[in-house]
């Protein structure tokens, strides 16, 4: 795989093969497992993320997979607010762009024939399979919104998992999970009136039994598939903690065998995908935050010796795609599909085996990005302030995406961090300059590694020993950090501190009620350990109907 990517020219991006005719409206409506199989039974799922799973990012994620494996990836749009989508034409055009003429005035009847002037979102040749996700609390508003997009997608998904405060204020997402009547009506109305299937994404509830009952209700309403996030509604921010794979497995065993289930949570690395499939029995695995920090998460690593210029592998065998390579490919996708103009001529990515550089390493003082079009920053900002702000979701998402992608790099190179912070949406020259700075930084990093590998490599034996020691500690992310950590020029996941660690370092505080509950749990846990001879294995619920097996802590921490 890597060999085919390494020598690809900047403007020759991979184009995933289409497995779908132009309009789903003209296809017989399939549901359930039959529908899932018609998509090719994808095992890897790119999650819906607010303002972050837009077309260009989906294309970037697919681009690291070969043509065959890219068919095994199902992608979701960002979550879209159904009421605003139906009431505001500009909102519609700014959040979903399937045609050049836009959706400002289109209704379902407008797409009865061949689809006109296809553009980006849901394009049958490059952006399928695709589910469009909405949040809603009104069945009629949700149906009206869904009718705009059904000609350009494979299914419409209902968000029942958003735990954020805005969802609580708007009464949608995970804050509908007490209102089963509304949830049923939202799904059933789509199921009965759309030409494409409806799916839903939910979170687990306070018990396995309650979660099972909730999932059965969603399916009975007409959902063809369910995605289950293995965290409860209050698990967010510093309280995120670990996803509970045992509950997902419980659902798999107790729901009908034909039920299609996607697992979500604890997916930080490519290895986690296959482990999650095995542990949970799910049909597919969804990645959200893991994909934001490493959009190559779904791609298999190249064979040793076939790394090319995009993939870097250390002497200890650990490796990953270079951030400069991913950044460059991201820019090229934007040029090709969104800006529709050629990418700039670029030199091949640097390798230490290239012609030895003359003189000292390149300085990273920010000078590369200080001047654009021969104008100093102050004048450039004044000029840019007069320009209209871009409305393309693909351009608006650039800076947030790059802060995720470059997180370990900008933690070291503050000049690049500052240059990225000054780059405004749509200011392509500014982002190009940041790219040049990133490429120079990676070049210096690679040369530094060649001169002193021990500075970056952790001996494998030592790592395994330390991981084993840390895995015996309850609620520790140390082993996960060690397993996932790479040099700063390599894409890598962000490992959040677990709640216990967040409390210890002061980034999380507890209410009096939470403190009392914690003390009660500690007393119960100590009693359990004493009764078990100071050792207790973590096991899958005996009532799940499957063979009992241990759930390794590593899998629970790192997916």
């Amino acid at each position: 795989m890597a060999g085919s990517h390494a020598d690809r020219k900047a403007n020759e991006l991979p184009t995933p093969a289409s497995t779908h005719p132009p309009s789903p409206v003209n296809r017989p409506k399939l549901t359930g497992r039959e529908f899932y199989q018609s998509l090719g039974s994808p095992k890897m799922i790119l999650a819906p993320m607010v303002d972050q799973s837009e077309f260009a990012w989906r294309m970037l994620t697919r681009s690291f997979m070969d043509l065959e494996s890219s068919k095994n990836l199902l992608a979701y749009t960002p979550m879209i607010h159904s009421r605003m989508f139906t009431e505001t034409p500009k909102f519609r055009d700014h959040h979903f762009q399937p045609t050049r003429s836009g959706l400002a005035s289109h209704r379902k009847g407008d797409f009865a024939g061949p689809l006109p002037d296809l553009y980006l979102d849901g394009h049958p040749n490059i952006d399928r399979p695709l589910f469009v996700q909405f949040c809603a609390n009104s069945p009629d508003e949700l149906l009206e919104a869904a009718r705009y997009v059904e000609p350009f997608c494979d299914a419409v998904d209902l968000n029942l998992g958003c735990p954020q405060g805005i969802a609580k204020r708007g009464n949608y997402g995970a804050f509908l999970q007490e209102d089963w009547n509304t949830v049923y009506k939202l799904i059933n109305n789509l199921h009965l009136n759309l030409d494409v299937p409806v799916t839903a994404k939910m979170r687990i509830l306070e018990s396995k039994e309650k979660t099972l009952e909730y999932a059965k209700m969603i399916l009975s309403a007409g959902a063809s598939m369910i995605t289950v996030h293995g965290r409860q509604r209050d698990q967010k921010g510093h309280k995120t903690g670990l996803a509970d794979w045992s509950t997902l497995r419980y659902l798999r065993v107790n729901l009908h065998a034909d039920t299609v289930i996607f697992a979500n949570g604890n997916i930080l690395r490519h290895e986690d995908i296959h482990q999650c499939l095995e542990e949970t029995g799910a049909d597919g695995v969804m990645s959200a935050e893991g994909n934001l920090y490493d959009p190559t998460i779904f791609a298999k690593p190249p064979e040793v010796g076939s790394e090319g210029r995009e993939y870097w592998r250390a002497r200890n065998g650990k490796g990953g795609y270079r951030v400069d390579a991913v950044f460059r490919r991201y820019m090229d996708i934007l040029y090709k599909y969104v800006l529709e103009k050629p990418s700039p001529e670029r030199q091949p990515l640097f390798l230490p085996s290239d012609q030895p550089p003359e003189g000292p390493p390149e300085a990273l003082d920010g000078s590369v990005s200080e001047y654009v079009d021969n104008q100093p920053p102050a004048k450039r900002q004044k000029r840019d302030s007069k320009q209209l702000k871009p409305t393309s979701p693909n351009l608006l998402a650039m800076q947030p995406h790059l802060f995720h992608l470059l997180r370990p790099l900008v933690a070291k190179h503050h000049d690049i961090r500052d240059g990225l912070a000054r780059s405004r949406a749509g200011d392509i020259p500014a982002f190009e300059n940041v790219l040049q700075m990133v490429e120079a930084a990676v070049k210096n990093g690679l040369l530094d590694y060649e001169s002193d590998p021990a500075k970056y490599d952790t001996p494998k034996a030592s790592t395994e020993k330390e991981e084993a020691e840390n895995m015996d500690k309850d609620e520790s992310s140390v082993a996960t950090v060690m397993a996932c950590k790479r040099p700063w020029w390599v894409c890598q996941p962000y490992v959040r501190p677990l709640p216990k660690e967040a409390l210890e370092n002061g980034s999380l505080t507890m209410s009096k009620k939470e403190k009392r509950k914690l003390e009660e749990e500690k007393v119960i846990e100590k009693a359990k350990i004493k009764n078990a001879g100071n050792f207790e294995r973590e096991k899958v619920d005996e009532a799940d109907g499957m063979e009992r097996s241990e759930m390794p802590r590593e899998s629970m921490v790192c997916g």
Side-chain angles (χ1 to χ4, degrees):
M1 179 189 70
S4 63
H5 288 312
D7 299 324
R8 182 179 287 121
K9 294 181 180 178
N11 60 349
E12 294 179 348
L13 297 166
T15 303
S18 170
T19 58
H20 306 278
S23 176
V25 175
N26 298 324
R27 299 204 311 266
K29 182 176 179 178
L30 303 177
T31 57
R33 186 158 295 276
E34 188 179 13
F35 167 58
Y36 175 61
Q37 292 171 342
S38 75
L39 299 176
S41 302
K43 297 292 184 186
M44 294 176 283
I45 322 296
L46 175 55
M49 296 173 282
V50 177
D51 298 331
Q52 295 282 275
S53 57
E54 78 292 344
F55 171 85
W57 196 255
R58 298 193 298 267
M59 287 299 297
L60 177 66
T61 299
R62 295 183 192 274
S63 75
F64 287 94
M65 308 170 72
D66 58 39
L67 295 183
E68 190 59 34
S69 62
S70 70
K71 300 176 187 177
N72 202 28
L73 177 69
L74 164 64
Y76 284 65
T77 67
M79 182 189 76
I80 304 173
H81 194 289
S82 63
R83 180 179 56 79
M84 296 184 69
F85 195 79
T86 57
E87 293 180 354
T88 313
K90 286 186 177 180
F91 183 91
R92 220 160 32 237
D93 282 345
H94 296 173
H95 286 78
F96 194 70
Q97 300 176 330
T99 68
R100 294 182 184 280
S101 57
L103 296 177
S105 59
H106 285 307
R107 298 292 176 184
K108 179 178 177 181
D110 296 337
F111 302 117
L115 300 179
D117 58 0
L118 294 175
Y119 185 35
L120 299 177
D121 293 302
H123 195 292
N125 295 329
I126 55 177
D127 194 27
R128 295 295 182 88
L130 178 70
F131 290 4
V132 177
Q133 187 187 73
F134 289 102
C135 64
N137 55 31
S138 165
D140 291 339
E141 287 177 352
L142 177 59
L143 177 61
E144 186 176 357
R147 280 178 165 158
Y148 280 105
V149 304
E150 66 173 329
F152 309 102
C153 64
D154 296 284
V156 172
D157 185 77
L158 175 63
N159 183 308
L160 296 172
C162 182
Q164 303 304 325
I166 190 172
K168 183 176 183 179
R169 293 191 295 273
N171 190 34
Y172 60 80
F175 296 93
L176 288 176
Q177 65 189 31
E178 285 83 21
D179 189 355
W180 290 22
N181 184 51
T182 296
V183 171
Y184 185 94
K185 289 179 180 178
L186 287 166
I187 295 172
N188 191 246
N189 197 35
L190 295 186
H191 174 62
L192 296 176
N193 294 289
L194 286 185
D195 292 319
V196 296
V198 56
T199 63
K201 185 174 186 291
M202 56 174 276
R203 285 185 170 237
I204 62 173
L205 304 187
E206 61 271 16
S207 69
K208 293 179 179 179
E209 294 75 18
K210 194 70 173 178
T211 304
L212 176 63
E213 188 180 352
Y214 188 46
K216 285 182 175 179
M217 181 274 295
I218 290 171
L219 292 164
S220 70
S224 287
M225 306 177 188
I226 55 171
T227 299
V228 185
H229 189 152
R231 294 183 175 91
Q232 297 184 39
R233 183 172 61 196
D234 64 342
Q235 289 183 268
K236 58 184 178 179
H238 291 301
K239 294 183 180 180
T240 297
L242 305 176
D244 181 5
W245 284 2
S246 67
T247 297
L248 274 59
R249 187 170 184 171
Y250 179 82
L251 294 179
R252 173 72 284 166
V253 173
N254 288 281
L255 290 172
H256 193 279
D258 280 342
T259 303
V260 179
I261 304 175
F262 296 151
N264 181 211
N266 293 356
I267 308 301
L268 297 178
R269 303 176 295 169
H270 182 76
E271 298 91 327
D272 301 337
I273 296 171
H274 305 285
Q275 191 164 5
C276 183
L277 288 170
E278 182 179 347
E279 297 279 354
T280 65
D283 295 281
V285 174
M286 176 179 284
S287 175
E289 194 170 71
N291 169 264
L292 284 182
Y293 289 96
D294 182 6
T296 74
I297 190 171
F298 297 113
K300 293 180 180 179
E303 297 294 331
V304 175
S306 302
E307 292 84 359
R309 293 181 180 270
E310 294 188 313
Y311 193 92
W312 179 87
R313 184 175 272 118
R315 286 169 171 77
N316 64 7
K318 291 186 175 182
Y321 280 90
R322 293 165 43 170
V323 293
D324 58 341
V326 178
F327 189 172
R328 179 184 284 197
R329 190 181 285 207
Y330 179 41
M331 293 295 294
D332 290 347
I333 285 172
L334 289 166
Y335 280 114
K336 181 174 182 179
Y337 295 105
V338 180
L339 303 174
E340 296 184 294
K341 62 182 183 181
S343 303
E345 290 292 329
R346 307 187 192 279
Q347 295 295 319
L349 291 169
F350 173 79
L351 286 178
S353 58
D354 291 342
Q355 186 71 23
E358 297 181 1
E362 296 183 25
L364 297 177
D365 59 1
S367 59
V368 176
S369 62
E370 289 300 313
Y371 286 80
V372 175
D373 297 334
N374 296 317
Q375 296 187 53
K379 291 185 178 180
R380 187 169 73 249
Q381 291 173 7
K382 185 176 181 180
R383 179 200 65 184
D384 292 346
S385 65
K386 299 178 181 179
Q387 297 177 351
L388 292 176
K389 292 183 179 181
T391 58
S392 169
N394 300 286
L395 299 180
L396 293 172
M398 289 178 68
Q399 189 190 65
H401 275 313
L402 291 171
F403 269 117
H404 283 114
L405 176 68
L406 302 175
R407 188 176 190 275
L409 185 147
V410 298
K412 177 179 177 63
H413 295 283
H414 294 174
D415 54 337
I416 299 179
R417 177 199 63 193
D418 296 342
L420 180 56
R422 291 194 299 267
S423 301
R424 297 292 176 255
D427 189 353
I428 299 301
F431 287 105
E432 278 289 339
N433 288 326
V434 174
L435 173 58
Q436 292 178 35
M437 297 178 70
V438 168
E439 291 178 352
V442 172
K443 177 180 178 179
N444 290 344
L446 294 174
L447 290 172
D448 191 43
Y449 179 85
E450 291 299 316
S451 65
D452 188 7
K455 186 190 302 183
Y456 299 93
D457 288 348
T458 302
K460 190 173 182 181
S462 173
T463 300
E464 290 177 348
K465 180 181 178 181
E466 291 177 21
E467 284 183 8
E469 290 175 352
N470 282 296
M471 288 220 293
D472 289 335
K473 299 178 182 177
D474 290 336
E475 297 187 350
S476 172
S477 63
V478 175
T480 308
V481 171
M482 295 175 65
C484 296
K485 187 172 179 57
R486 300 291 186 271
W488 50 263
W489 58 83
V490 175
C491 293
Q492 55 196 281
Y494 168 51
V495 181
R496 292 180 178 275
L498 295 175
K500 181 179 179 180
E501 296 166 320
L503 283 169
E504 291 174 351
N505 65 30
S507 57
L508 175 64
T509 57
M510 300 180 68
S511 65
K512 292 181 179 179
K513 182 178 179 181
E514 290 172 328
K515 288 179 180 178
R516 286 196 301 268
K517 183 178 179 181
L518 180 62
E519 290 301 322
E520 292 172 359
E521 290 175 349
K522 285 181 178 179
V523 172
I524 295 172
E525 186 65 23
K526 286 181 180 179
K528 285 183 178 179
I529 293 175
K530 184 177 181 181
N531 294 334
N534 295 325
F535 182 77
E536 184 181 69
R537 292 184 181 271
E538 188 172 2
K539 296 192 175 184
V540 178
D541 192 333
E542 290 181 279
D544 65 5
M546 297 187 74
E547 182 180 353
R548 291 171 64 94
S549 62
E550 297 176 13
M551 295 287 282
R553 289 191 185 276
E554 182 180 19
S555 72
M556 296 301 289
V557 173
C558 204

